[in-house]
Amino acid sequence: MEKIKLFTPATIANVSCGFDVLGLCLDTIGDEMIIRKTNKKGVRITKIVGQNLPLEIEQNVAGVAVLALLEKVDTPYGFEIEIYKNIKPGSGIGSSAASAAGAVFGVNKLLDEPFSLQELIPFAMEGEKLASGTAHADNVAPALLGGFTLIRSYNPLDIIKINNPKELFATVIHPQIEVKTADARAVLKKKVTLKETVVQLGNLGGLISGLYTEDYNLIGRSLHDEIVEPSRSILIPEFDNVIAAAKKTGALGGGISGSGPSIFALSKGKLTAEKVGLAMAKTYKNLQIDFDIHVSKVNANGIKTL
Ligand code: HSE
């Protein structure tokens, strides 16, 4: 294979109570990439459409992720990457992860898959490190593996794909303001109390259990973030009202998508998820802030070739 075209999806990290450890994959929004194998060694980003991002390899999340991969494999080939960005950087739905994960997925395919999807995750995490200062895996893992993923451990890396309830849909409102992940991490408190930890552990356990047993009410009860959301939600206009409107319309629950400013809700069934989108939009209608609404089932498969 000399060339590959990919759809590389947006993702929701944290999923409320799983800061840095839980993520899910979306399927109605994502970037496209074209990657070519060349006889000239090295990596080149030849085109970025849709966003103003650096073409220099060391400054581009896709570039550093591929460099990390190429350090671990002996190949006479080089790669040229074109990126068609639909996911805005700083949106909270995994823009950097889509680029980094897509790039390593594509290069791996063109090399006849020397690495498994799991093995690609640490390379993609190098892109996250460049973007936010932290090599978190809760966007790149669901982008590569699909569905819901849990990072059981960072050191050593231990990532588990968990059950994806069939009728679960996500609704996302993306206000057109930029919140950089690095800034959203800087506002986090450095210490948590035992009491807060107990609440968070209960909810994370409840959410994982609810996902496996497909107990939608349990999923809803567990979508609560005691630790991170209180510090970050103040950066997001109408956060509490959006969540309240979503729940009133039938959503199981919701929270900040990744590091924001996007807000997500989970619902049982597409119809409810669409109504939730309308309710979210109504909440934002009188603000002077543009926004997008996305409704998506949880994407069980992750990145796909086109
Ligand atoms: N877990 C990361 C954070 C996700 O919340 O900072 C960023 O998308």
Side-chain angles (χ1 to χ4, degrees):
M1 204 193 314
E2 300 303 315
K3 173 183 151 184
I4 190 167
K5 187 173 180 192
L6 304 171
F7 171 77
T8 179
T11 44
I12 296 176
N14 301 339
V15 200
S16 286
C17 49
F19 177 68
D20 273 1
V21 299
L22 202 59
L24 68 84
C25 189
L26 297 169
D27 80 348
T28 52
I29 172 158
D31 296 340
E32 288 186 7
M33 297 177 105
I34 296 174
I35 306 178
R36 287 186 187 83
K37 192 160 80 180
T38 64
N39 289 324
K40 189 172 163 217
K41 274 191 137 193
V43 192
R44 282 162 295 280
I45 296 175
T46 49
K47 199 193 243 186
I48 301 176
V49 178
Q51 292 296 325
N52 190 11
L53 292 165
L55 292 167
E56 293 80 7
I57 294 303
E58 286 82 8
Q59 289 168 41
N60 184 291
V61 298
V64 296
V66 173
L67 286 181
L69 182 154
L70 291 178
E71 265 177 36
K72 300 283 180 202
V73 74
D74 192 21
T75 173
Y77 300 111
F79 299 91
E80 286 179 358
I81 305 175
E82 292 177 13
I83 309 175
Y84 298 84
K85 291 295 297 175
N86 293 315
I87 317 170
K88 281 207 175 108
S91 58
I93 48 173
S95 178
S96 51
S99 296
V104 294
F105 179 95
V107 167
N108 190 49
K109 283 263 184 217
L110 293 173
L111 289 173
D112 290 331
E113 304 189 61
F115 301 104
S116 68
L117 291 175
Q118 284 270 359
E119 287 168 341
L120 293 176
I121 293 170
F123 305 137
M125 287 166 70
E126 289 301 313
E128 294 294 57
K129 194 167 162 192
L130 176 70
S132 72
T134 308
H136 63 91
D138 49 344
N139 293 104
V140 293
L144 281 161
L145 304 181
F148 278 86
T149 56
L150 173 74
I151 298 134
R152 206 265 324 148
S153 159
Y154 271 91
N155 189 17
L157 202 58
D158 183 4
I159 300 184
I160 300 145
K161 183 166 176 177
I162 54 188
N163 187 56
N164 178 15
K166 286 168 256 339
E167 294 179 80
L168 206 55
F169 279 76
T171 311
V172 177
I173 180 165
H174 169 210
Q176 308 280 308
I177 49 173
E178 186 182 359
V179 175
K180 290 204 171 85
T181 298
D183 296 339
R185 293 182 84 88
V187 302
L188 299 179
K189 54 188 180 187
K190 300 286 173 281
K191 291 205 167 109
V192 291
T193 65
L194 189 56
K195 205 172 154 198
E196 289 163 336
T197 309
V198 169
V199 175
Q200 198 84 347
L201 290 174
N203 282 310
L204 184 56
L207 181 52
I208 301 290
S209 176
L211 290 170
Y212 272 105
T213 55
E214 311 208 0
D215 180 337
Y216 292 88
N217 287 330
L218 176 56
I219 292 169
R221 295 202 298 287
S222 307
L223 287 172
H224 171 81
D225 178 0
E226 187 75 1
I227 294 174
V228 171
E229 197 168 282
S231 313
R232 283 182 171 172
S233 56
I234 47 180
L235 304 172
I236 305 172
E238 296 293 317
F239 175 77
D240 290 333
N241 290 336
V242 168
I243 295 290
K247 283 187 181 168
K248 204 170 151 215
T249 315
L252 304 165
I256 302 173
S257 177
S259 54
S262 288
I263 306 169
F264 79 96
L266 296 182
S267 301
K268 184 180 179 187
K270 191 175 182 193
L271 198 63
T272 305
E274 283 170 351
K275 285 187 190 151
V276 167
L278 295 176
M280 286 176 162
K282 204 167 160 201
T283 312
Y284 253 69
K285 170 173 105 213
N286 294 324
L287 301 185
Q288 302 301 316
I289 301 174
D290 288 340
F291 60 87
D292 293 323
I293 303 278
H294 307 287
V295 176
S296 170
K297 75 171 187 316
V298 180
N299 170 354
N301 303 312
I303 300 168
K304 66 175 178 215
T305 47
L306 298 173

